Amino acid sequence: MAEFLYQDPYKTNSDKTSYRKISSDYVKVEKFGNREILNIDPKALEVIAEEALADVSFYLRTAHLEKLKAILDDPEATDNDRFVAYNLLQNATIAAEGQLPSCQDTGTAIVMGKKGQDVYTGVEDGEHLSKGIFNTYQERNLRFSQVVPLSMFEEKNSGSNLPAQIDIYAKKGMSYDFLFLAKGGGSANKTFLYQKTKSLLNEKSLEEFIKDKIKDLGTAACPPYHLALVIGGTSAEANLAAVKKASAGYFDELPTEGNMAGQAFRDLEWEKRVHLICQESKIGAQFGGKYFTHDVRVIRLPRHAASCPVGLGVSCSADRNIKAKITKEGLFLEQLEKNPRQYLPEVPPHLFPAVEIDLDQPMENVLAELSKHPIKTRLNLKGTLIVARDIAHAKILELIE
């Protein structure tokens, strides 16, 4: 007969994150019977959300920037790889000035919170977190990306980038821990669920599956990616939630082997194998480079015997993820890199010249010139260019019809 076993299914070994303190206010420890309770002023939720979304919109993690610099230093990197890495470092340097965000798609605000049982706020936490998010998008130079349905087919922009996705869980202890994300449409659209079976769980089948399915990711979400592959899960929803957190680096400190309690773990060997498969695919840098991924996280989860959900997703080059926490000492945010210029070489990488394309010609001439070159070719576009995205496309079609 089986023994009763329970543990946190996502038990991490430690938190190696570097934090900066943003306030000592809004917190106090009080006695409630025999227990000490961390009483958090609701204003703290507003402040920490506002600061987190502001930081993550303009700054990146040091580790992410170091990976971009490593591409420039890699003798195996192609011209396309180096072109992309250099431009992304330039972009990060400009964004860090605090005026233009790292991506024009400023994303859906997502908050995952773990609230200790010895933490008291006394309010609807989601409302105060939302107010902080609202403040950031009102006061900073950030696009409003959220549209709300008024009927099945009529939608309007909310004008505030709300609503946010806010998920709050309970845990033991006297701290309130957060992961904030600004998730753009590009990388969100590259999240896939595949309902597989036990037949996938052998080396040959899994490798063939990965080689096939990474093509679904393509390049539309701006590689190099932080890629997450999650195999298993007690439900499809649990699988995809793990994909999002893994791509944000949230599960980096998971154990590296399973146990009879069903703990989630990282498979380091398969992370290397998937990363190599991605490099050999040559999909990176718009189908012309080695760097389809910066890194890969492969997470293995327990599953129902008749089901094997597999999730695949990415955090894109606008790697907008930031941890935060509220403790009795105050409010803390993950330290992002405020000086990305240090990773930008003084001299741009030497590259073969791009192909010149004059757009102020008849379209048949432009297409004839493009047809001479492979897809991976770097182009220098000049002339008149009209840029329109999804809503504009729909409006143009409506006018035509």
Side-chain angles (χ1 to χ4, degrees):
M1 191 170 182
E3 293 182 43
F4 173 74
L5 295 173
Y6 177 79
Q7 71 169 72
D8 181 348
Y10 298 97
K11 183 175 177 58
T12 52
N13 295 321
S14 62
D15 184 4
K16 298 179 181 178
T17 307
S18 295
Y19 292 93
R20 66 181 182 91
K21 191 173 191 177
I22 61 172
S23 178
S24 298
D25 299 330
Y26 312 115
V27 294
K28 60 182 177 180
V29 176
E30 297 181 325
K31 277 282 195 179
F32 182 77
N34 295 323
R35 296 171 63 183
E36 288 191 334
I37 300 295
L38 177 62
N39 193 334
I40 299 176
D41 187 319
K43 183 68 176 179
L45 302 177
E46 180 181 334
V47 169
I48 206 163
E50 181 174 348
E51 289 286 327
L53 268 295
D55 269 19
V56 85
S57 296
F58 295 94
Y59 306 113
L60 294 163
R61 288 170 166 165
T62 301
H64 179 84
L65 295 165
E66 288 173 343
K67 290 179 185 294
L68 289 172
K69 178 64 166 60
I71 295 174
L72 297 177
D73 296 335
D74 182 358
E76 295 182 356
T78 66
D79 270 18
N80 282 19
D81 284 323
R82 285 189 283 269
F83 176 80
V84 168
Y86 186 75
N87 276 269
L88 288 171
L89 285 170
Q90 285 182 309
N91 184 74
T93 300
I94 293 169
E97 296 175 4
Q99 297 301 314
L100 297 172
S102 59
C103 180
Q104 55 83 26
D105 181 350
T106 52
T108 298
I110 300 174
V111 186
M112 191 277 289
K114 290 185 176 180
K115 187 176 185 180
Q117 298 283 17
D118 294 326
V119 171
Y120 176 79
T121 57
V123 294
E124 172 58 60
D125 292 4
E127 179 180 357
H128 293 267
L129 291 165
S130 294
K131 181 57 164 59
I133 294 164
F134 172 87
N135 294 344
T136 296
Y137 281 86
Q138 292 295 314
E139 295 169 9
R140 305 300 293 267
N141 184 28
L142 300 173
R143 189 183 80 179
F144 305 139
S145 297
Q146 300 304 302
V147 293
V148 294
L150 303 181
S151 67
M152 178 59 76
F153 303 114
E154 183 186 3
E155 297 178 315
K156 289 197 174 181
N157 193 297
S158 68
S160 63
N161 215 59
L162 295 176
Q165 177 186 330
I166 300 175
D167 302 308
I168 299 174
Y169 304 89
K171 70 178 187 74
K172 293 190 296 184
M174 194 191 289
S175 68
Y176 204 156
D177 304 330
F178 298 95
L179 173 66
F180 292 90
L181 305 89
K183 193 72 170 174
S187 61
N189 292 343
K190 297 301 179 180
T191 304
F192 297 96
L193 175 71
Y194 308 95
Q195 294 284 18
K196 308 302 289 184
T197 66
K198 168 69 174 173
S199 63
L200 182 70
L201 300 179
N202 61 80
E203 292 204 16
K204 183 175 182 292
S205 297
L206 183 57
E207 185 167 307
E208 289 175 353
F209 171 85
I210 292 164
K211 287 180 177 179
D212 179 45
K213 297 308 180 185
I214 61 168
K215 298 172 188 174
D216 291 345
L217 296 172
T219 61
C222 303
Y225 300 132
H226 300 281
L227 186 146
L229 173 67
V230 178
I231 299 171
T234 49
S235 67
E237 297 83 1
N239 178 284
L240 290 180
V243 168
K244 183 172 291 182
K245 294 168 190 173
S247 70
Y250 192 73
F251 289 149
D252 280 6
E253 300 305 318
L254 283 177
T256 55
E257 60 183 11
N259 65 11
M260 288 303 295
Q263 71 180 12
F265 67 92
R266 286 178 59 186
D267 190 311
L268 303 184
E269 178 188 349
W270 273 97
E271 289 181 1
K272 292 176 184 176
R273 291 177 68 167
V274 176
H275 190 39
L276 182 60
I277 289 169
C278 290
Q279 290 181 334
E280 292 176 344
S281 74
K282 303 297 184 184
I283 299 175
Q286 303 305 111
F287 302 97
K290 168 183 174 182
Y291 284 94
F292 187 41
T293 53
H294 281 304
D295 49 43
V296 175
R297 297 292 178 264
V298 176
I299 310 296
R300 188 68 167 86
L301 301 178
R303 65 184 184 88
H304 186 284
S307 174
C308 185
V310 179
L312 188 66
V314 300
S315 182
C316 67
S317 289
D319 185 44
R320 293 170 297 186
N321 313 291
I322 185 170
K323 294 180 182 179
K325 61 184 179 180
I326 303 175
T327 71
K328 62 183 180 181
E329 284 79 26
L331 283 59
F332 298 85
L333 276 183
E334 180 178 351
Q335 179 66 64
L336 301 184
E337 181 56 66
K338 301 294 180 73
N339 181 27
R341 187 178 295 276
Q342 64 184 296
Y343 299 101
L344 187 66
E346 293 184 10
V347 179
H350 176 72
L351 306 172
F352 286 104
V355 173
E356 299 284 337
I357 300 293
D358 183 2
L359 297 175
D360 290 334
Q361 304 182 67
M363 183 56 71
E364 57 267 25
N365 294 355
V366 174
L367 294 175
E369 180 61 32
L370 290 174
S371 299
K372 298 176 184 177
H373 307 285
I375 292 173
K376 65 183 179 180
T377 305
R378 286 188 301 112
L379 305 176
N380 185 25
L381 304 180
K382 61 182 180 180
T384 305
L385 179 66
I386 299 173
V387 179
R389 297 198 66 179
D390 310 34
I391 295 176
H393 295 162
K395 181 59 69 175
I396 291 169
L397 180 61
E398 181 182 318
L399 293 172
I400 292 172
E401 293 177 341

